[in-house]
Amino acid sequence: IFLWRSALLEWLNLRGVEMATVLITGTNRGIGLEFVQQFLARGDTVLATCRQPNSAPALQQLQKEYQHLQVLRLDVASAESLQHFPQQLSVDAIDIFINNAGVYGPRNASFGNVDGETWMSVLRVNSIVPILLTQLLIDKLRAGDDKKLLYLTSKMGSIDDNTGGGSYVYRSSKSALNAVVKSLAVDLAADGFTSAALHPGWVRTDMGGPNALIDTATSVAGMMRLIDSLGTEQSGSFFNYDGSVIPW
């Protein structure tokens, strides 16, 4: 298997196919882990982050199989971890940044059950940390070739699509993230960046639950096709995993 992969990478290089350096947050399981697997399989260099790399057996196994995988510690809920994270990076440039890490918060956040402290913690992880991390990484992102910034959001963050109400904490955190992504698209346009908000679909993960409609492989494959096709003219858009545009 190793020889086959090496031969494939050599063939791609001979054809002039450029390999990207991809940074992905929240990769110990679910969608983040699937992103790692699919980017590695096509030959890209992957910088995968999670809170406890030593307790992430799937990532440890992938490290044994792929030399172009680095697993790095990052706890997005910790201000100290965020500040120290750039010092761990041994690369000079990052081509694609995928902000996947996020939390749902309390499932019972219906009217009458909303707790302010919990709401603030979810807003920090889902809405504030993505821009803080982008600011910390901006020099390496500017040095990249692709200059693509992707932020996993949710259709539940669409105000237009909200016909069910409730879920105040999660909905608001993703709506705020969508606003962040739109502003990033405007502010970084002159530097050639493409920023987009991606809804992965209703996916069978710990967050999505067993009754979700699609698996992680389907979701990630769709998002990767979209990422590959994105151009600067689409920057600031809100996409479903299948490439369709979601109204704000």
Side-chain angles (χ1 to χ4, degrees):
I1 293 176
F2 178 77
L3 292 175
W4 178 84
R5 286 173 181 155
S6 298
L8 173 62
L9 295 182
E10 182 178 353
W11 177 76
L12 288 170
N13 287 329
L14 287 172
R15 290 194 60 200
V17 176
E18 293 293 331
M19 299 297 113
T21 296
V22 187
L23 172 62
I24 310 165
T25 64
T27 62
N28 60 306
R29 63 186 179 186
I31 293 170
L33 179 60
E34 186 65 32
F35 263 125
V36 172
Q37 292 171 321
Q38 292 199 29
F39 274 113
L40 287 173
R42 73 181 197 181
D44 294 311
T45 294
V46 177
L47 313 174
T49 81
C50 65
R51 284 181 295 177
Q52 299 179 352
N54 293 334
S55 300
L59 288 175
Q60 291 177 5
Q61 180 59 40
L62 287 171
Q63 274 192 302
K64 297 176 182 178
E65 299 177 23
Y66 294 94
Q67 294 182 340
H68 48 291
L69 168 63
Q70 296 180 37
V71 180
L72 306 169
R73 183 184 182 280
L74 174 61
D75 180 356
V76 296
S78 165
E80 182 180 3
S81 182
L82 280 172
Q83 288 298 321
H84 286 100
F85 177 67
Q87 300 170 19
Q88 298 183 56
L89 297 172
S90 59
V91 299
D92 295 323
I94 298 170
D95 299 301
I96 300 171
F97 170 45
I98 300 177
N99 189 98
N100 168 69
V103 294
Y104 191 90
R107 296 280 176 175
N108 65 339
S110 56
F111 184 77
N113 292 316
V114 177
D115 173 73
E117 290 300 318
T118 304
W119 196 342
M120 288 298 296
S121 67
V122 174
L123 279 171
R124 176 170 175 78
V125 170
N126 289 357
S127 317
I128 300 171
V129 165
I131 189 170
L132 296 181
L133 190 51
T134 304
Q135 290 178 155
L136 289 168
L137 298 171
I138 193 61
D139 289 340
K140 292 185 183 294
L141 294 168
R142 282 197 174 105
D145 293 326
D146 293 59
K147 292 184 172 61
K148 292 184 178 180
L149 310 176
L150 297 314
Y151 301 83
L152 264 66
T153 182
S154 172
K155 194 175 182 181
M156 290 181 69
S158 167
I159 295 173
D160 183 85
D161 187 70
N162 184 1
T163 59
S167 301
Y168 290 91
V169 172
Y170 187 68
R171 285 187 188 280
S172 64
S173 72
K174 291 303 185 179
S175 294
L177 175 61
N178 292 348
V180 166
V181 174
K182 182 64 177 180
S183 285
L184 281 172
V186 174
D187 293 341
L188 299 179
D191 292 331
F193 281 96
T194 299
S195 306
L198 305 184
H199 170 57
W202 187 16
V203 188
R204 289 190 290 274
T205 62
D206 288 348
M207 183 182 293
N211 298 320
L213 299 178
I214 59 174
D215 58 20
T216 56
T218 301
S219 171
V220 169
M223 287 189 286
M224 286 180 61
R225 285 191 293 270
L226 175 60
I227 292 168
D228 288 342
S229 67
L230 280 177
T232 53
E233 68 281 0
Q234 297 161 301
S235 191
S237 298
F238 182 7
F239 292 102
N240 192 27
Y241 77 97
D242 62 5
S244 58
V245 176
I246 297 175
W248 296 109

